[in-house]
Amino acid sequence: MIKLFKVKEKQRELAENASGGAPVKKQTAGELRLHKVNFKPPLDFLLDMTRDISELNLPKSCTMQFPNGKDDLMNFEVSIRPDEGYYLGGTFLFSFQVSPIYPHEAPKVKCKTKVYHPNIDLEGNVCLNILREDWKPVLNINTVIYGLYHLFTEPNYEDPLNHDAAAVLRENPKMFESNVRRAMAGGYVGQTFFPRCM
Amino acid sequence: MADASVQSSRSRDLDKLLLRPGNLVGPRFEPGPEMRDDLQTYARVLVVGAGGLGCELLKDLALSGFRNLEVIDMDRIEVTNLNRQFLFRLEDVGKPKAEVASKRVMERISGVNIVPHFCRIEDKDISFYNDFNIIALGLDSIEARSYINSVACSFLEYDSDNNPREETIKPMVDGGTEGFKGHARVIMPGITPCFECTIWLFPPQVKFPLCTLAETPRTAAHCIEYAHLIKWNEVHGGVAFDPDNPQHMKWVYDEAVKRAELFGIPGVTYSLTQGVVKNIIPAIASTNAIISAACALETLKIATECSKTLSNYLTYNGAEGLHTKVTEFERDKDCLVCGPGVLIEVDPSVTLQKFIDLLEEHPKLRLSRVSVTHRGKNLYMQAPPVLEEMTRSNLSLTLFELMGKLSKDVVNVNGTTTKNDQKISCLRKLSVVFKGIDGVTDMDTAGGA
Ligand SMILES: [Zn+2]
């Protein structure tokens, strides 16, 4: 390709000498345009995200916010309002952080609402298999949101992150239910205070 | 005469490749000293990364007859680099890698000019990358490779028969190592698979379930990830963990040790902690040297055509004995990054709404529920409602204006189309050309979508 490099270099010199003059022949439109405007390249992961987001089919009671505007789809928030189960009536906010190698890597999800839940700890870490060990590139944001929604309709004590909540759910579902109501209304469960989220 | 003999002894080995004919040479290869001179004068190579691979690459390229080199790296030298990043000395710790590496190679190899760039790859204008003939990658992250790949492929243009235009092909040579394993590959956008065509080659990272970390740790790595992912937030809520901060790393190590003692698990060490948290495998100097040598040779072959290039992916494994293999991967015809896309010619007066309507009627596309993206900007998103609302006002603006008044450029669209009576989602690359705008009058005349 060295001959081609030579031609290109000669054109470059020519273009530099002709500083701002008539457009240099032979130079392609693409090259001209790249000198004029500095653009980001179209990045593959952004396209995957755009597709994912534009095809979302959310549960009715879920809404999304894009705090950084319409062009940053890599950071967003989802609020989930379960319409059945222990958590009926509560609103739970999750933050999503999507990596540049999405969908090769799962999004990072945190629960921003302090919640009394066997599978979500008090720091907002979420135990959901598809966010960690079972993530596959064929999964998408929609799957994750449904997975989160499912955690509220079917909390399970077998994968505990909040050990106490898991134990109560396993041994005394009635008490678990009243703990959840108390926490969602804004109050203490044991030593821990939960702000109101209804 | 004396001078000439010095000259010939310095390039003795290179001359064997460039001054003699051969059976594997490219069709345009003309052996002779002019080839060697042109290589020195006209070949401009960018080395991305000045770490373990980058140091080797710079040295190898400089010794292979390349004289116009530039290197880009955002890191500063750390003590732990010194065992393998052989261009650096103890007194260099804290200095930018790109600058020190350039200086050291220029000191040792006369006539070579290396321009260092101490910055992030994203900080450079895209036109910066277009000034190089070949880009050699010595990186350790998928993200950075993917970025450079997108940049290099964005220069690629196709003719009306969907053949890549040779003058727009930006060849890349990519090296990568992990411990005793490594790969070297040649990417000729439009001809051989690009990085994105074969992204599946990278195995997904191992991620432990959080509940295992919290409840039933079984390995040293579980203890480390517990300290890193759960305990850190519990104690430092709000302070982001910084893997490059030695104090943060030490804290995670100490916590992991406590956790391991509690569960009677052996094997937590500081270096394992670093490895697990940063997801790194110890680098081996000889692997870097071997992979980089392969990359430098490919770079030379691309530039001079003195031999056939690797087609197109070499793997090396020195863990047990030694095994190398070359696999010829195939391009993904519909690759959004290196594929030709569908050519669409429109009038500059067409509004975004009209453009979206055109895609619905387009015989090759028949797209409905369309969203349009241009170089990372979402021009229109048909869902979710919050984004639809934010982008709706664009519908009445002209596409020409929304695309920055370029005579032609790529947009990406996604929507649904019907195939065998089934609705399927589809993400497409469109090459949009505006009719009657300067700069394209002499090209893309045929093609007609
Ligand atoms: Zn590709």
PDB file of all heavy atoms in Angstrom, chain B residues 149 153 192-198 331-332 335-339, ligand 1:
ATOM      1  N   ASN B 149     -11.728   0.884  16.629  1.00  0.00           N
ATOM      2  CA  ASN B 149     -12.326   0.183  15.494  1.00  0.00           C
ATOM      3  C   ASN B 149     -13.436   1.020  14.853  1.00  0.00           C
ATOM      4  O   ASN B 149     -13.508   1.146  13.627  1.00  0.00           O
ATOM      5  CB  ASN B 149     -12.889  -1.158  15.986  1.00  0.00           C
ATOM      6  CG  ASN B 149     -13.511  -1.981  14.881  1.00  0.00           C
ATOM      7  OD1 ASN B 149     -12.817  -2.474  13.996  1.00  0.00           O
ATOM      8  ND2 ASN B 149     -14.832  -2.110  14.902  1.00  0.00           N
ATOM      9  N   CYS B 153     -13.236   2.413  11.079  1.00  0.00           N
ATOM     10  CA  CYS B 153     -14.269   1.993  10.127  1.00  0.00           C
ATOM     11  C   CYS B 153     -15.093   3.180   9.642  1.00  0.00           C
ATOM     12  O   CYS B 153     -15.704   3.110   8.576  1.00  0.00           O
ATOM     13  CB  CYS B 153     -15.176   0.944  10.746  1.00  0.00           C
ATOM     14  SG  CYS B 153     -14.346  -0.631  11.012  1.00  0.00           S
ATOM     15  N   THR B 192     -11.558  -7.662   5.716  1.00  0.00           N
ATOM     16  CA  THR B 192     -11.526  -8.708   6.742  1.00  0.00           C
ATOM     17  C   THR B 192     -12.419  -8.267   7.905  1.00  0.00           C
ATOM     18  O   THR B 192     -12.751  -7.088   8.021  1.00  0.00           O
ATOM     19  CB  THR B 192     -10.090  -8.960   7.254  1.00  0.00           C
ATOM     20  OG1 THR B 192      -9.635  -7.799   7.946  1.00  0.00           O
ATOM     21  CG2 THR B 192      -9.145  -9.293   6.112  1.00  0.00           C
ATOM     22  N   PRO B 193     -12.834  -9.210   8.757  1.00  0.00           N
ATOM     23  CA  PRO B 193     -13.767  -8.846   9.818  1.00  0.00           C
ATOM     24  C   PRO B 193     -13.209  -7.743  10.717  1.00  0.00           C
ATOM     25  O   PRO B 193     -12.016  -7.745  11.033  1.00  0.00           O
ATOM     26  CB  PRO B 193     -13.969 -10.141  10.608  1.00  0.00           C
ATOM     27  CG  PRO B 193     -12.971 -11.103  10.116  1.00  0.00           C
ATOM     28  CD  PRO B 193     -12.503 -10.638   8.780  1.00  0.00           C
ATOM     29  N   CYS B 194     -14.065  -6.823  11.083  1.00  0.00           N
ATOM     30  CA  CYS B 194     -13.647  -5.781  12.012  1.00  0.00           C
ATOM     31  C   CYS B 194     -13.818  -6.315  13.431  1.00  0.00           C
ATOM     32  O   CYS B 194     -14.309  -7.425  13.639  1.00  0.00           O
ATOM     33  CB  CYS B 194     -14.426  -4.489  11.786  1.00  0.00           C
ATOM     34  SG  CYS B 194     -16.039  -4.409  12.579  1.00  0.00           S
ATOM     35  N   PHE B 195     -13.402  -5.524  14.380  1.00  0.00           N
ATOM     36  CA  PHE B 195     -13.473  -5.948  15.776  1.00  0.00           C
ATOM     37  C   PHE B 195     -14.902  -6.305  16.175  1.00  0.00           C
ATOM     38  O   PHE B 195     -15.142  -7.276  16.882  1.00  0.00           O
ATOM     39  CB  PHE B 195     -12.927  -4.814  16.648  1.00  0.00           C
ATOM     40  CG  PHE B 195     -12.928  -5.136  18.096  1.00  0.00           C
ATOM     41  CD1 PHE B 195     -12.013  -6.028  18.613  1.00  0.00           C
ATOM     42  CD2 PHE B 195     -13.859  -4.566  18.940  1.00  0.00           C
ATOM     43  CE1 PHE B 195     -12.027  -6.342  19.953  1.00  0.00           C
ATOM     44  CE2 PHE B 195     -13.882  -4.873  20.271  1.00  0.00           C
ATOM     45  CZ  PHE B 195     -12.964  -5.764  20.788  1.00  0.00           C
ATOM     46  N   GLU B 196     -15.860  -5.523  15.675  1.00  0.00           N
ATOM     47  CA  GLU B 196     -17.251  -5.719  16.070  1.00  0.00           C
ATOM     48  C   GLU B 196     -17.859  -6.969  15.415  1.00  0.00           C
ATOM     49  O   GLU B 196     -18.746  -7.598  15.965  1.00  0.00           O
ATOM     50  CB  GLU B 196     -18.049  -4.473  15.711  1.00  0.00           C
ATOM     51  CG  GLU B 196     -19.021  -4.010  16.761  1.00  0.00           C
ATOM     52  CD  GLU B 196     -18.366  -3.608  18.073  1.00  0.00           C
ATOM     53  OE1 GLU B 196     -17.476  -2.738  18.075  1.00  0.00           O
ATOM     54  OE2 GLU B 196     -18.760  -4.169  19.101  1.00  0.00           O
ATOM     55  N   CYS B 197     -17.357  -7.321  14.213  1.00  0.00           N
ATOM     56  CA  CYS B 197     -17.844  -8.536  13.527  1.00  0.00           C
ATOM     57  C   CYS B 197     -17.599  -9.776  14.379  1.00  0.00           C
ATOM     58  O   CYS B 197     -18.307 -10.765  14.271  1.00  0.00           O
ATOM     59  CB  CYS B 197     -17.101  -8.748  12.211  1.00  0.00           C
ATOM     60  SG  CYS B 197     -17.464  -7.609  10.889  1.00  0.00           S
ATOM     61  N   THR B 198     -16.547  -9.722  15.180  1.00  0.00           N
ATOM     62  CA  THR B 198     -16.143 -10.923  15.930  1.00  0.00           C
ATOM     63  C   THR B 198     -16.077 -10.644  17.424  1.00  0.00           C
ATOM     64  O   THR B 198     -15.261 -11.219  18.131  1.00  0.00           O
ATOM     65  CB  THR B 198     -14.752 -11.401  15.465  1.00  0.00           C
ATOM     66  OG1 THR B 198     -13.846 -10.304  15.570  1.00  0.00           O
ATOM     67  CG2 THR B 198     -14.769 -11.892  14.032  1.00  0.00           C
ATOM     68  N   ARG B 331     -16.316 -11.905   7.731  1.00  0.00           N
ATOM     69  CA  ARG B 331     -17.005 -10.670   8.073  1.00  0.00           C
ATOM     70  C   ARG B 331     -18.477 -10.945   8.338  1.00  0.00           C
ATOM     71  O   ARG B 331     -19.054 -11.864   7.796  1.00  0.00           O
ATOM     72  CB  ARG B 331     -16.910  -9.674   6.915  1.00  0.00           C
ATOM     73  CG  ARG B 331     -15.567  -9.061   6.769  1.00  0.00           C
ATOM     74  CD  ARG B 331     -15.581  -8.087   5.613  1.00  0.00           C
ATOM     75  NE  ARG B 331     -16.481  -6.976   5.866  1.00  0.00           N
ATOM     76  CZ  ARG B 331     -17.108  -6.291   4.923  1.00  0.00           C
ATOM     77  NH1 ARG B 331     -16.965  -6.617   3.667  1.00  0.00           N
ATOM     78  NH2 ARG B 331     -17.878  -5.279   5.242  1.00  0.00           N
ATOM     79  N   ASP B 332     -19.039 -10.094   9.198  1.00  0.00           N
ATOM     80  CA  ASP B 332     -20.478 -10.102   9.377  1.00  0.00           C
ATOM     81  C   ASP B 332     -21.035  -9.140   8.330  1.00  0.00           C
ATOM     82  O   ASP B 332     -20.813  -7.945   8.400  1.00  0.00           O
ATOM     83  CB  ASP B 332     -20.800  -9.629  10.803  1.00  0.00           C
ATOM     84  CG  ASP B 332     -22.284  -9.409  11.028  1.00  0.00           C
ATOM     85  OD1 ASP B 332     -23.066  -9.637  10.077  1.00  0.00           O
ATOM     86  OD2 ASP B 332     -22.643  -9.008  12.141  1.00  0.00           O
ATOM     87  N   CYS B 335     -22.704  -6.119   9.485  1.00  0.00           N
ATOM     88  CA  CYS B 335     -22.051  -5.395  10.583  1.00  0.00           C
ATOM     89  C   CYS B 335     -22.382  -3.908  10.495  1.00  0.00           C
ATOM     90  O   CYS B 335     -22.238  -3.285   9.448  1.00  0.00           O
ATOM     91  CB  CYS B 335     -20.547  -5.599  10.531  1.00  0.00           C
ATOM     92  SG  CYS B 335     -19.678  -4.698  11.833  1.00  0.00           S
ATOM     93  N   LEU B 336     -22.813  -3.362  11.618  1.00  0.00           N
ATOM     94  CA  LEU B 336     -23.212  -1.953  11.624  1.00  0.00           C
ATOM     95  C   LEU B 336     -22.004  -1.042  11.564  1.00  0.00           C
ATOM     96  O   LEU B 336     -22.109   0.133  11.258  1.00  0.00           O
ATOM     97  CB  LEU B 336     -23.992  -1.646  12.902  1.00  0.00           C
ATOM     98  CG  LEU B 336     -25.343  -2.304  13.021  1.00  0.00           C
ATOM     99  CD1 LEU B 336     -25.899  -2.103  14.414  1.00  0.00           C
ATOM    100  CD2 LEU B 336     -26.291  -1.739  11.975  1.00  0.00           C
ATOM    101  N   VAL B 337     -20.848  -1.576  11.898  1.00  0.00           N
ATOM    102  CA  VAL B 337     -19.662  -0.733  11.952  1.00  0.00           C
ATOM    103  C   VAL B 337     -18.910  -0.750  10.622  1.00  0.00           C
ATOM    104  O   VAL B 337     -18.549   0.295  10.089  1.00  0.00           O
ATOM    105  CB  VAL B 337     -18.753  -1.166  13.116  1.00  0.00           C
ATOM    106  CG1 VAL B 337     -17.473  -0.346  13.147  1.00  0.00           C
ATOM    107  CG2 VAL B 337     -19.496  -1.009  14.435  1.00  0.00           C
ATOM    108  N   CYS B 338     -18.681  -1.925  10.036  1.00  0.00           N
ATOM    109  CA  CYS B 338     -17.858  -1.970   8.824  1.00  0.00           C
ATOM    110  C   CYS B 338     -18.648  -2.292   7.559  1.00  0.00           C
ATOM    111  O   CYS B 338     -18.099  -2.272   6.462  1.00  0.00           O
ATOM    112  CB  CYS B 338     -16.704  -2.947   8.996  1.00  0.00           C
ATOM    113  SG  CYS B 338     -17.211  -4.674   8.992  1.00  0.00           S
ATOM    114  N   GLY B 339     -19.926  -2.588   7.686  1.00  0.00           N
ATOM    115  CA  GLY B 339     -20.727  -2.921   6.508  1.00  0.00           C
ATOM    116  C   GLY B 339     -21.037  -1.688   5.669  1.00  0.00           C
ATOM    117  O   GLY B 339     -20.886  -0.562   6.134  1.00  0.00           O
TER     118      GLY B 339
HETATM  119 ZN    ZN C   1     -17.586  -5.328  11.208  1.00  0.00          ZN
END
